Amino acid sequence: MGLWVKITKIFKGKGNSSSFKEEKPTRLSQYKEKRFSGKVEVDVGEIKKILGNPSDLLIREFSYYGVAAAAVMIDGLVDKMVVIDGILKPLMVEAKIAREKPADPYKSLKEEMLAIAEIKEVQTLDEFLLAVLSGEVGLLLENCSVALLASAKGWASRSVTEPMNEVVVRGPQEGFTETIRVNTTLIRRRVRSPYLRFEALKIGRISQTDVVIAYLEDIANPQIVEEVRNRLSRIDVDAILESGYIEEFIEDDPFNIFPQIKHTERPDKAVADLLEGKVVILTDGTPLALIVPATFPEFFQAAEDYYEKYFIGNFLRLIRVLAFFIAMFLPSLYIAIITYHQEMIPTELLINIWASRSGVPFPAFVEALIMEIAFEALREAGVRLPRPVGQAVSIVGALIIGQAAVEAGIVSTSMVITVAITGIASFAIPAFNMAVAARIYRFGMMVLAATFGMFGLMMGFILLVIMLCNTRSFGVPYLAPIAPLSIPDQRDVVVRLPRWLMVKRPKHFRPLDERRIKEGLRPGFPKGEKRR
């Protein structure tokens, strides 16, 4: 017992283990308060010492009206043509042609000579290095205790292309990229509101990853925005390499298998959520944006639902909801009926099923488990292999293995059909993280069905409902507006009403401005004209 208490204290950070005593400061933090010496040669030497004089460090020393100066940059993070035309050429050539030596070289350099849109002033060495490592050009001038930063970012990046994982037949065909400034631009193009806010922060002691909080100030609830700020500001890790790192730190229930945060690579989808009063979190280095809060019904909604006529979108959405329940409950329903409740099957169908199972040596649960594991392994292999090979492996492998398993008497044909329908249904769920959650929960349902039959199936369903009812996403009920029930918000849940009837925004997000559409916009014939 004493050993268990000691281990618990260690994992909580209260033990005597040296690894939990205190955090070691990063090397760059040692220079946090260090200021520039005012000597270009000394400061350049210090920069080389801190960075280890890497091969991609570019330092261009020159003379500005007889005063020693230097431009510091990282090769590959800056646009060299911008550096040459906007910084070096004005300072080294045009300055001497244009005028005599100014009384204050630093003021002249800052206010007159640089043809750069964004210029900042820094006073400490760590700020200077962080900016240079982010793609900016640092300028040092002799006898100056401050340095200038000129924005000349320009690295190789992927162009805006069609989203690979959220394909639509009708709608915009451009998706987010790995560059955060491109992503903010894609949002800004669609929302020309002066109330659109982009709040920037850096997360990760080593990576210093750029993260942007986007919201509409006149719509989003300030409490939700503040909660997002608080959860992001408390993250203290060495690096953030993808938005999934952030997701695990800010979700409400880390032990819930169902996703509590949406992610998308579609700018139009992110903007649609902004207009409902949600907050979008953009992370540099990934095309996936996080959207909070998120509710359960939203994971079955696709962007195309709002671009096609409402009855087309409703039909497709109902298919997705049906596919979700099939993917989660069909194998367990088959196991329960075959094992305990054969009287529920029509006689002719029961005879055919038992005929196909006559040579199978395993019970229905083991049979289903074998096929489900094989199907999941094939699906994972198809994802991890190169695209042309992966598709062939997943399709041909499923056909060959299914046929061989039936001929060998390991599984029955009815089980192959059940697993195939289940797999197809899981592909119809638009949100990948929700589809995976359904696949995981399906195995638990199979165990309950094999143990207790239909009673176990109902038990699993009740546990699912209880779990979903107890889940929150940034304080918003996960099943809203179904539970708690809100009749006015049922206009866009299981089915979507015509757009001219969706007058108000969902109340469960507590938006500041509830109205989004003017009333009385129902289309029809002009006044005085009768329908023929």
Side-chain angles (χ1 to χ4, degrees):
M1 185 66 180
L3 179 61
W4 173 251
V5 173
K6 188 174 181 180
I7 293 174
T8 306
K9 287 183 178 180
I10 289 176
F11 277 98
K12 289 182 178 179
K14 299 178 181 179
N16 296 323
S17 176
S18 59
S19 61
F20 291 90
K21 283 183 180 179
E22 60 181 17
E23 295 181 358
K24 278 189 173 182
T26 61
R27 193 175 175 188
L28 189 57
S29 64
Q30 301 173 11
Y31 302 90
K32 188 172 184 180
E33 303 298 331
K34 188 168 184 178
R35 303 175 71 89
F36 295 98
S37 66
K39 302 292 183 182
V40 172
E41 184 178 355
V42 174
D43 291 333
V44 167
E46 191 71 23
I47 291 170
K48 290 181 179 179
K49 177 183 176 183
I50 297 172
L51 298 180
N53 197 17
S55 59
D56 58 349
L57 176 63
L58 301 180
I59 299 178
R60 180 65 168 91
E61 299 185 31
F62 57 95
S63 175
Y64 179 67
Y65 289 112
V67 180
V72 182
M73 68 201 82
I74 299 295
D75 188 17
L77 295 183
V78 296
D79 187 333
K80 289 187 178 180
M81 293 307 300
V82 174
V83 175
I84 293 172
D85 295 335
I87 300 176
L88 297 181
K89 189 176 179 181
L91 297 181
M92 299 173 64
V93 180
E94 297 176 4
K96 298 180 180 180
I97 299 174
R99 52 178 291 184
E100 298 295 328
K101 180 178 179 179
D104 188 346
Y106 176 77
K107 184 178 180 180
S108 171
L109 184 150
K110 179 182 178 182
E111 298 180 358
E112 300 175 4
M113 300 308 301
L114 293 175
I116 296 295
E118 183 182 359
I119 298 175
K120 293 183 292 185
E121 190 178 271
V122 292
Q123 298 181 346
T124 58
L125 201 55
D126 68 316
E127 292 177 310
F128 180 87
L129 290 174
L130 180 58
V132 169
L133 292 171
S134 299
E136 299 189 21
V137 179
L139 294 172
L140 303 172
L141 196 63
E142 190 76 13
N143 299 323
C144 286
S145 59
V146 294
L148 287 178
L149 297 173
S151 180
K153 297 178 180 178
W155 49 75
S157 61
R158 183 169 62 93
S159 60
V160 177
T161 57
E162 180 184 357
M164 298 297 295
N165 299 317
E166 296 178 78
V167 181
V168 295
V169 177
R170 179 178 179 178
Q173 301 297 322
E174 56 183 15
F176 288 132
T177 70
E178 287 75 14
T179 306
I180 195 168
R181 189 52 62 210
V182 174
N183 297 341
T184 57
T185 303
L186 291 172
I187 293 177
R188 181 75 73 177
R189 279 181 52 200
R190 290 167 170 79
V191 181
R192 296 179 175 90
S193 170
Y195 298 103
L196 177 61
R197 299 289 180 259
F198 290 126
E199 296 184 8
L201 62 154
K202 293 185 182 293
I203 303 179
R205 294 190 301 270
I206 297 175
S207 66
Q208 291 289 310
T209 305
D210 291 314
V211 177
V212 169
I213 305 172
Y215 62 95
L216 285 166
E217 190 177 37
D218 58 334
I219 297 178
N221 188 291
Q223 295 179 352
I224 294 179
V225 176
E226 185 61 27
E227 183 65 22
V228 173
R229 288 196 200 103
N230 293 337
R231 295 192 188 188
L232 289 175
S233 61
R234 64 179 288 273
I235 299 177
D236 186 6
V237 294
D238 54 356
I240 297 292
L241 303 182
E242 212 275 338
S243 58
Y245 284 45
I246 296 176
E247 183 177 355
E248 291 194 32
F249 283 106
I250 65 175
E251 59 186 353
D252 288 56
D253 185 1
F255 300 106
N256 195 322
I257 65 172
F258 288 93
Q260 301 148 57
I261 298 173
K262 286 201 306 181
H263 57 70
T264 182
E265 55 180 332
R266 297 189 62 88
D268 56 324
K269 193 172 180 180
V271 169
D273 286 313
L274 285 175
L275 293 172
E276 288 194 346
K278 300 182 186 179
V279 179
V280 175
I281 303 172
L282 303 172
T283 308
D284 193 28
T286 175
L288 291 176
L290 303 180
I291 300 172
V292 295
T295 58
F296 182 74
E298 294 176 356
F299 290 94
F300 303 97
Q301 300 171 0
E304 209 167 16
D305 296 352
Y306 303 91
Y307 302 146
E308 295 287 357
K309 295 195 70 173
Y310 63 93
F311 54 82
I312 298 176
N314 291 338
F315 172 74
L316 297 177
R317 189 179 293 182
L318 290 172
I319 292 294
R320 294 187 209 112
V321 174
L322 179 61
F324 173 78
F325 286 102
I326 290 175
M328 184 174 288
F329 295 109
L330 183 59
S332 53
L333 181 63
Y334 176 87
I335 293 171
I337 292 176
I338 291 298
T339 307
Y340 296 100
H341 310 283
Q342 298 90 345
E343 68 279 0
M344 298 177 62
I345 308 175
T347 306
E348 294 81 2
L349 179 59
L350 180 63
I351 293 173
N352 292 332
I353 291 176
W354 280 109
S356 66
R357 286 184 46 81
S358 58
V360 177
F362 305 112
F365 170 70
V366 176
E367 186 184 2
L369 195 62
I370 292 173
M371 287 302 298
E372 286 291 346
I373 293 175
F375 192 88
E376 293 295 334
L378 280 171
R379 174 159 29 195
E380 186 67 14
V383 172
R384 302 304 161 198
L385 286 171
R387 192 176 299 275
V389 180
Q391 294 177 351
V393 167
S394 58
I395 296 173
V396 177
L399 292 174
I400 293 176
I401 291 179
Q403 183 65 28
V406 171
E407 292 180 356
I410 299 176
V411 296
S412 61
T413 53
S414 56
M415 178 57 71
V416 173
I417 294 172
T418 302
V419 172
I421 294 174
T422 304
I424 293 172
S426 65
F427 288 132
I429 303 173
F432 174 76
N433 46 5
M434 179 59 73
V436 174
R439 284 153 55 184
I440 295 173
Y441 198 81
R442 179 168 67 217
F443 285 95
M445 294 298 299
M446 289 166 56
V447 173
L448 289 174
T451 307
F452 303 105
M454 292 297 293
F455 296 103
L457 198 63
M458 293 305 299
M459 189 188 309
F461 179 75
I462 292 172
L463 289 175
L464 174 66
V465 173
I466 293 173
M467 181 171 60
L468 295 179
C469 287
N470 287 331
T471 303
R472 297 287 186 274
S473 177
F474 283 78
V476 176
Y478 196 52
L479 287 182
I482 300 174
L485 182 64
S486 174
I487 300 299
D489 289 340
Q490 300 299 316
R491 301 181 181 186
D492 186 19
V493 184
V494 180
V495 296
R496 176 179 77 83
L497 296 185
R499 191 171 299 279
W500 42 269
L501 284 177
M502 298 166 59
V503 177
K504 294 186 178 181
R505 296 182 174 88
K507 292 183 179 179
H508 46 273
F509 298 128
R510 306 186 300 279
L512 296 181
D513 182 10
E514 291 187 356
R515 185 175 299 277
R516 60 180 167 190
I517 296 176
K518 181 181 177 181
E519 292 186 3
L521 295 181
R522 175 180 175 177
F525 285 89
K527 290 183 178 180
E529 183 177 339
K530 295 183 179 180
R531 189 185 299 270
R532 294 182 181 180

